[in-house]
Amino acid sequence: VMLQQTRVETVTPYYRRWLDRFPDLGALADAELDDVLTVWQGLGYYARARNLHRAARLVRERHRGELPRDVAALRALPGVGSYTAGAVASIAFGVPAPAVDGNARRVLARLFDLEQPSTAVLSRLAAGLVDPDRPGEFNQALMELGAMICAPRDPECGVCPLRELCAARAAGTVEQRPGRRPKSRSPEIEVGVAVLLAPDCHVLVVRRPPTGLLGGLWEFPGEPLRNHETARSAAARAAIRAGVKVRSAGRALSPVPHAFSHLKTIYRPVLFRPRSRPPATQGRWVRLDRLDALPLPVAQRKIAAALPLPSSGGD
C-alpha cells in the first residue's frame, strides 16, 4: 500500500517505522486514527493510511484477524485495488494473479508494442504471463525490470532479458511506448491561515474532515481567498469560523507553497496574538512544542516552524 504512488527508496524508512509501531494487524486495528496518521506523516496520500486502518479493523471483524488470500476478498478491503490485491496475493500467498504497477505497465506496453493500453488489457496480458509456480517472484521481476532496465527514458535494451521478444524494440517505437497522456494544468488556490498564538505558547488547531484531501489531519484554521480578498481577511474569517474573534489585522508571515498531485496551494499565514486563550467552538489549543504529537501536513509544519516565541501582551 505504501508503494502506491511512492518510490521504494522513499517508502523504506516509513515501512520500518510503521512495523515498529504496528507489528501486526491487531496492533493497527487497536490504534487510534491520530496515531496511525502520525506514523504515516510525511508519506503523503493520507487516504492510504486511513484505508489501511479501516482495512485492519474489517479483517478482524470479517476474517477473524487473518488477511484473506483470495484476490476478490482482498479487493473488497478499503484502499485495495487490482494492483495491490494482485501483489499481496501473489507475493504473500503464491496465488497466480497479475500485479501491474506503473513499471510493469511500461514493460508490457513495450513488449506488445501498445500505444495506450487500457488497464483491463494489461491485466489480461499479465495474467497470461504469470508463472503459476512462482507468481510472486515473477511479478516482482516484472516490476523491477521496469524500474531498473526498461526505464521511461533511455532504457537499457541491450541488457534486457526480453529484448528478443520485444515488439516495440523490433518496430523502433520503444521511446514512444506507452504513449504519454497529456498533463492538465493543476489549478492554483491561495489560503489565508489564521495562526492564533497565545502568550502561554498555545496555538489553535482544527481537524480536517475525515475524508477528502488530508482527511483527519490537524491544521491551523484556514479559508481560501475570495476574489480580490486579502490573506488577512481570509485568515480572520477562518478564526471566526473556529469561534475566535481577532481584534487586529495580524502580521503576515512568509507564504508556504505546496503542490499536491492535482492542486497547487499557497498558504498565506497571518499571525494573531490574543491576550489569552479564548474558548473555541472548533479545534483545540495545543502547546507549540507539542504539535509534533499531532498528525500535521507538511505545509502546516513549515508554518509552525517559522513561528516566533510569543512576547508579553497581545493584539
Side-chain angles (χ1 to χ4, degrees):
V1 172
M2 286 183 173
L3 287 172
Q4 297 169 6
Q5 302 162 298
T6 310
R7 296 174 62 85
V8 172
E9 56 268 27
T10 301
V11 161
T12 302
Y14 288 94
Y15 175 72
R16 289 172 176 162
R17 189 170 68 202
W18 179 277
L19 287 186
D20 285 341
R21 177 63 181 81
F22 310 118
D24 52 41
L25 280 168
L28 179 57
D30 288 337
E32 295 296 325
L33 180 60
D34 267 358
D35 292 339
V36 174
L37 293 174
T38 298
V39 176
W40 190 276
Q41 198 164 260
L43 198 53
Y45 301 99
Y46 287 88
R48 296 181 296 176
R50 297 195 303 272
N51 284 332
L52 260 180
H53 189 225
R54 290 171 54 211
R57 292 185 169 184
L58 285 175
V59 167
R60 183 167 63 185
E61 293 169 10
R62 300 178 182 176
H63 302 284
R64 299 181 180 179
E66 293 290 331
L67 195 68
R69 297 167 178 253
D70 177 70
V71 172
L74 286 168
R75 288 205 62 177
L77 296 174
V80 178
S82 57
Y83 154 64
T84 305
V88 171
S90 62
I91 297 170
F93 303 126
V95 176
V100 182
D101 71 342
N103 290 315
R105 175 180 182 269
R106 185 168 54 256
V107 173
L108 293 169
R110 288 171 173 172
L111 186 63
F112 293 96
D113 194 23
L114 303 173
E115 184 177 3
Q116 287 288 2
S118 67
T119 301
V121 166
L122 290 176
S123 294
R124 177 173 55 80
L125 292 172
L129 297 174
V130 174
D131 186 326
D133 298 319
R134 301 165 70 188
E137 291 182 2
F138 175 88
N139 283 332
Q140 292 180 81
L142 192 64
M143 291 186 276
E144 286 299 291
L145 184 65
M148 303 181 69
I149 294 177
C150 195
R153 295 181 180 85
D154 301 320
E156 299 182 46
C157 296
V159 297
C160 178
L162 302 182
R163 61 187 179 276
E164 301 302 327
L165 304 173
C166 183
R169 180 171 180 265
T173 57
V174 170
E175 294 286 356
Q176 289 79 48
R177 300 292 183 263
R180 292 180 175 83
R181 299 183 178 94
K183 287 187 177 180
S184 58
R185 183 176 179 179
S186 298
E188 298 182 10
I189 64 169
E190 294 180 90
V191 177
V193 179
V195 183
L196 296 149
L197 179 59
D200 61 357
C201 289
H202 281 71
V203 290
L204 181 68
V205 290
V206 296
R207 190 164 199 164
R208 293 184 63 86
T211 58
L213 183 66
L214 304 175
L217 274 68
W218 293 84
E219 65 181 3
F220 298 108
E223 284 284 332
L225 271 65
R226 297 169 178 167
N227 288 340
H228 309 297
E229 186 181 27
T230 65
R232 286 182 172 89
S233 174
R237 278 196 296 111
I240 292 171
R241 182 168 57 85
V244 179
K245 292 184 178 180
V246 293
R247 299 195 306 269
S248 74
R251 177 162 68 87
L253 303 176
S254 298
V256 176
H258 188 78
F260 298 97
S261 59
H262 64 294
L263 178 70
K264 294 180 180 178
T265 303
I266 299 177
Y267 295 96
R268 298 195 177 276
V270 180
L271 177 63
F272 301 99
R273 284 181 165 172
R275 296 182 187 279
S276 61
R277 272 192 280 149
T281 57
Q282 293 185 27
R284 70 191 199 198
W285 293 90
V286 179
R287 275 187 59 90
L288 191 56
D289 59 359
R290 293 179 181 171
L291 278 178
D292 284 344
L294 291 179
L296 265 70
V298 171
Q300 303 293 318
R301 291 194 171 277
K302 290 180 179 178
I303 294 172
L307 292 181
L309 291 176
S311 58
S312 61
D315 58 12

